[in-house]
Amino acid sequence: MRTHRLQQRGFTLIELLVVLGIISLMLTLAVPRFFPSIDKTREVILADNLRTTRATIDQYYGDTGRYPDTLDELVEKKYLRAVPIDPLAESDGWIIVAPDDTTKGKMYSIRSSAPGLDRNGKPYAEW
């Protein structure tokens, strides 16, 4: 009677291998779909950050008649809550685009500092 109870308590090696095989099969189907969605999400966030920051720079120019010198200036003057983060470069190090007339400020626009290409083959630095 006692040996019969001990045999019923655990799983057999075959049962564990079958379960691990099923889990690995499910992962091979799910993982390739998961990582491209992360990249797509980062690109959407980058596009939104660029659009919002560029609109804020234009608003600052409309209010003051000159472009800001840095992103920190926009934060200090309460145009932005914080310096936006580049989700692909995972930093706030943006490429600053100066205006044609540098007497009106130092920052006309910003671009991503992330290396590489987007899903369409366009470099992130050209966004």
Side-chain angles (χ1 to χ4, degrees):
M1 180 85 175
R2 186 170 184 184
T3 59
H4 182 65
R5 278 190 198 169
L6 289 177
Q7 291 176 349
Q8 291 181 348
R9 285 190 182 181
F11 297 104
T12 65
L13 180 61
I14 299 296
E15 291 171 333
L16 291 174
L17 289 175
V18 167
V19 169
L20 287 174
I22 292 171
I23 290 172
S24 65
L25 178 64
M26 290 171 59
L27 285 174
T28 58
L29 296 174
V31 169
R33 294 175 188 222
F34 177 71
F35 286 114
S37 68
I38 290 175
D39 294 338
K40 181 181 178 185
T41 302
R42 287 183 179 175
E43 287 181 5
V44 168
I45 293 170
L46 173 63
D48 185 56
N49 285 350
L50 287 171
R51 185 175 34 257
T52 303
T53 306
R54 289 172 179 161
T56 303
I57 292 169
D58 291 340
Q59 182 181 8
Y60 182 88
Y61 180 78
D63 291 346
T64 63
R66 61 179 302 279
Y67 294 105
D69 292 331
T70 63
L71 287 171
D72 292 326
E73 185 177 341
L74 292 173
V75 174
E76 289 170 12
K77 304 255 177 142
K78 307 290 187 204
Y79 281 86
L80 291 173
R81 289 186 181 184
V83 175
I85 300 295
D86 183 342
L88 295 169
E90 296 180 353
S91 72
D92 59 356
W94 298 94
I95 297 172
I96 305 297
V97 179
D100 295 333
D101 183 7
T102 56
T103 61
K104 292 187 175 187
K106 295 181 182 175
M107 187 173 59
Y108 171 73
S109 184
I110 62 171
R111 291 189 178 158
S112 175
S113 62
L117 306 172
D118 66 5
R119 292 176 291 133
N120 298 325
K122 185 177 179 182
Y124 292 117
E126 292 181 9
W127 278 32

